Amino acid sequence: MLLLVATSLKVSAQYSSCNDFGHFDLFIDIVPPAAVGAKILVDSAGTFPLSADTGNIVVPANFGDFGGGPHKTDDPGWVVNTGGLLDGENLWFRALGALRYWDPTIEAWIGPVNGERVRYFGNIPFEVFLRNDPVELAFYKQGTIWSYGGLEGPLESPIDQAAQDGSIHSHLDFCVEAADGDCALPGVGHTGNPSTGAYLIELQLFSDAGAGEKYRSSRPVQVLLNNGLTGDQCGTAINALIQPTNVDSSEALPGAGVLIMTGY
């Protein structure tokens, strides 16, 4: 259960669990729709909590998809409603930062203890398909990799192309692998035995529409991927990210929480 409490400066939240998410989506608003200079806003309804450090949203998901196996998930998905983009415009992700790991033994966010990595498999850009260069194709097929040392592979990849009505609904694959694993190999059982805990990556959404930057890129999104934590353990992990150390307990200003939750 998620409880949101507005204060004059921050929104605090408490999670008793982050294992309640099955197949789910993140909703993306283009404001104003399809217009030059419009903002890409992720979760403007305020469904998910905010990082106490950055004010960016934190989205918990769980590895263990039925189709993908114990160390994979295609959640969250990405949804742009009808008319948000123009027909044929692309939504992309940009990888940011380095991989963080929640160690349930010491209850702290640290670097991955045994060299684990998280991969996210974007689509291959259309121009790469056209060039049909085997090396370039292989580069994108390996996926984008977050590790303790930073980022490898394509730093930017397409999520999907808008349909005729300007909408997008797309799910791409996340995967966690041990130091001796390889998520790029097809099938189940090639990921090794990554440590139980939560893995945190950061990304940003943008579009390549227009000669310049038609749309303003989104604020960064932190995706917390649970690998085997119990409900209360995972709740502790996310609360460590979203609980401000100093909350202003003065009377909330009207609409303060709404302003904070709706982004920039």
Side-chain angles (χ1 to χ4, degrees):
M1 179 179 180
L2 172 63
L3 303 175
L4 295 178
V5 181
T7 73
S8 61
L9 293 180
K10 296 191 178 192
V11 173
S12 66
Q14 285 189 330
Y15 264 80
S16 59
S17 170
C18 53
N19 289 7
D20 299 330
F21 296 91
H23 195 69
F24 72 101
D25 301 308
L26 273 175
F27 288 89
I28 302 158
D29 293 313
I30 314 297
V31 183
V36 174
K39 299 176 182 179
I40 298 177
L41 300 178
V42 183
D43 186 41
S44 59
T47 304
F48 296 94
L50 305 179
S51 164
D53 292 335
T54 65
N56 298 326
I57 68 167
V58 179
V59 181
N62 292 297
F63 288 121
D65 279 353
F66 178 78
H71 301 134
K72 297 181 181 180
T73 182
D74 65 356
D75 293 306
W78 311 97
V79 174
V80 176
N81 288 328
T82 299
L85 299 171
L86 296 182
D87 178 15
E89 291 183 339
N90 294 291
L91 183 70
W92 291 56
F93 76 85
R94 175 181 296 121
L96 302 171
L99 183 62
R100 297 173 65 189
Y101 167 73
W102 175 261
D103 188 325
T105 303
I106 63 173
E107 293 193 343
W109 283 102
I110 59 175
V113 292
N114 293 310
E116 290 90 352
R117 299 173 293 268
V118 166
R119 298 196 195 216
Y120 193 37
F121 293 95
N123 287 315
I124 297 174
F126 181 65
E127 61 271 19
V128 174
F129 269 121
L130 290 180
R131 287 193 290 268
N132 198 30
D133 182 307
V135 174
E136 196 174 17
L137 289 170
F139 177 73
Y140 278 92
K141 288 178 180 178
Q142 288 293 308
T144 300
I145 302 170
W146 283 260
S147 69
Y148 181 67
L151 298 165
E152 301 174 52
L155 301 184
E156 300 176 348
S157 286
I159 292 174
D160 208 348
Q161 186 178 72
Q164 285 186 337
D165 64 1
S167 67
I168 287 176
H169 185 184
S170 184
H171 287 255
L172 303 176
D173 291 325
F174 296 91
C175 182
V176 62
E177 63 191 26
D180 60 350
D182 187 348
C183 290
L185 295 175
V188 177
H190 302 296
T191 58
N193 188 29
S195 300
T196 297
Y199 294 83
L200 189 72
I201 66 168
E202 189 172 51
L203 51 80
Q204 184 178 38
L205 304 183
F206 71 100
S207 175
D208 63 347
E213 186 178 355
K214 178 180 177 181
Y215 305 111
R216 292 171 58 182
S217 300
S218 77
R219 292 188 64 161
V221 175
Q222 292 178 301
V223 181
L224 182 152
L225 297 153
N226 174 25
N227 184 44
L229 294 177
T230 62
D232 58 344
Q233 287 177 319
C234 198
T236 301
I238 193 169
N239 284 328
L241 292 172
I242 66 179
Q243 285 294 329
T245 54
N246 294 299
V247 176
D248 184 348
S249 59
S250 61
E251 185 177 353
L253 298 174
V258 175
L259 288 174
I260 295 171
M261 295 300 287
T262 52
Y264 63 115

